[in-house]
Amino acid sequence: MNLLNAYREKDVIVRAGNVADLIALVGRISLKNMEAVELIGIPADIELLSQLDEHVEVDLVLQDGERELTRLEALRESGVAEDIQIVVPVAPGFGEAAKLACRLGYPVKLNIGALDLLDVEENLDLVNFYLHTPDLEEPLEFFHSFAQALFNEEALTMWDIMDENPAEVRYITDQGNEVLSRRLTHMPVTGDMSDFLDRRKLQLLRERGECSQCRFFVNCNGYFKLPNPEFSCDGVKRIFGTLKEAVKKLQEDVDKFYDEFEEGPEKG
Ligand code: SF4
């Protein structure tokens, strides 16, 4: 938030630790360039959000999923901050926080950080929860957009879904350094990034490594090979595969529906 002056001409997502600071900020700068706000943790003054006159999208980034579960429930019951997305960092135990946020009716986004914390079984459990809980009304990202891209055969990538495509979005550290993304803070932005993904795809294909053989390459673009190119994607491909299988079944159902619709009602 302290670095805003340097980015007055850009569209920005502002990080704030409490709502009072945010309200003071909104009093000082125009909101027209503020795309969204990230509140880090559930601040003690969260109820002040209702004093924010201007509409601004709010991402609430959980810091300690388990400890914040009860606060999340209380938040929903209070009716404050209805229009927010809950961001759940992927770390051991994250699944319960994500499930509760989904059940409470919030849109949820997983925040992928260190890949050694990516528990595949917990992710698969969450994918299955998302696919097989019929009364969920809001998306759980990245699962939702990835499945939608498969269904529509779109070339939407994990970099876009996670808001990490450097052609569009940069992350500014608390020290003011412009880096590729929140999870890639050691990778500074250098030169023109508009074709970052094209260059990266070419490099991965030339290397003929795991990505070049991967059936999810079109929608992943090597997202999980940074920061560690040696990271094994066996687990990630199981997660993507579960989504793919669900999309295949959905496509079969849709095709069947249209076939029956075209044939018309059976005559008895
Ligand atoms: S899932 Fe892994 S192997 Fe497949 S494209 Fe993504 S990073 Fe590469």
Side-chain angles (χ1 to χ4, degrees):
M1 209 157 78
N2 299 328
L3 302 164
L4 264 177
N5 270 339
Y7 292 90
R8 278 188 173 273
E9 303 305 317
K10 308 279 186 192
D11 293 337
V12 291
I13 298 170
V14 178
R15 288 195 299 279
N18 63 67
V19 185
D21 284 354
L22 179 64
I23 290 173
L25 174 85
V26 169
R28 289 204 317 268
I29 69 160
S30 159
L31 265 185
K32 77 176 170 10
N33 295 339
M34 195 190 292
E35 297 238 316
V37 170
E38 269 190 7
L39 284 175
I40 309 301
I42 304 180
D45 62 354
I46 185 87
E47 71 282 354
L48 292 181
L49 266 184
S50 55
Q51 293 182 16
L52 207 58
D53 290 338
E54 311 273 354
H55 178 78
V56 56
E57 286 180 27
V58 177
D59 279 0
L60 196 61
V61 186
L62 298 188
Q63 291 298 282
D64 176 355
E66 216 161 311
R67 197 169 51 82
E68 285 165 324
L69 287 181
T70 43
R71 293 205 64 205
L72 208 52
E73 269 176 306
L75 189 65
R76 179 47 105 196
E77 279 165 21
S78 73
V80 173
E82 297 209 321
D83 191 16
I84 60 177
Q85 173 172 254
I86 306 294
V87 179
V88 184
V90 173
F94 79 100
E96 287 312 307
K99 284 180 190 173
L100 177 65
C102 287
R103 286 199 192 98
L104 291 172
Y106 288 113
V108 176
K109 182 170 187 172
L110 301 181
N111 183 355
I112 299 171
L115 292 178
D116 52 357
L117 296 181
L118 189 80
D119 183 321
V120 173
E121 298 308 325
E122 198 166 8
N123 267 280
L124 283 170
D125 178 59
L126 192 57
V127 170
N128 284 313
F129 162 82
Y130 186 59
L131 292 174
H132 304 296
T133 307
D135 51 350
L136 299 183
E137 292 178 357
E138 297 290 345
L140 168 54
E141 299 292 7
F142 59 92
F143 304 154
H144 180 86
S145 291
F146 197 88
Q148 198 168 42
L150 292 174
F151 184 82
N152 294 327
E153 297 181 4
E154 284 174 281
L156 186 73
T157 74
M158 279 297 289
W159 297 88
D160 299 302
I161 295 169
M162 301 305 292
D163 289 328
E164 287 183 48
N165 183 345
E168 308 282 341
V169 187
R170 311 287 166 73
Y171 185 82
I172 316 299
T173 66
D174 291 344
Q175 293 71 36
N177 300 321
E178 206 166 307
V179 295
L180 277 197
S181 72
R182 185 200 312 266
R183 71 188 178 106
L184 301 173
T185 49
H186 67 295
M187 297 183 73
V189 169
T190 49
D192 180 13
M193 284 286 175
S194 59
D195 61 349
F196 171 83
L197 283 187
D198 288 336
R199 284 186 280 123
R200 176 142 183 80
K201 276 190 286 185
L202 205 57
Q203 179 197 351
L204 289 167
L205 292 174
R206 280 193 182 134
E207 285 170 1
R208 296 175 185 264
E210 192 178 8
C211 289
S212 66
Q213 309 289 325
C214 179
R215 64 186 174 130
F216 301 109
F217 185 66
V218 169
N219 296 108
C220 178
N221 277 199
Y223 179 86
F224 293 92
K225 291 295 183 186
L226 282 179
N228 176 11
E230 303 303 322
F231 178 75
S232 165
C233 285
D234 291 351
V236 172
K237 285 186 268 193
R238 284 175 63 205
I239 297 166
F240 286 164
T242 304
L243 291 169
K244 175 115 186 149
E245 199 53 37
V247 163
K248 192 171 152 224
K249 286 202 181 98
L250 178 63
Q251 187 66 64
E252 285 167 3
D253 287 348
V254 170
D255 291 347
K256 196 168 153 212
F257 170 80
Y258 279 114
D259 286 349
E260 287 173 3
F261 183 75
E262 278 168 18
E263 282 167 17
E266 276 183 30
K267 297 193 176 73

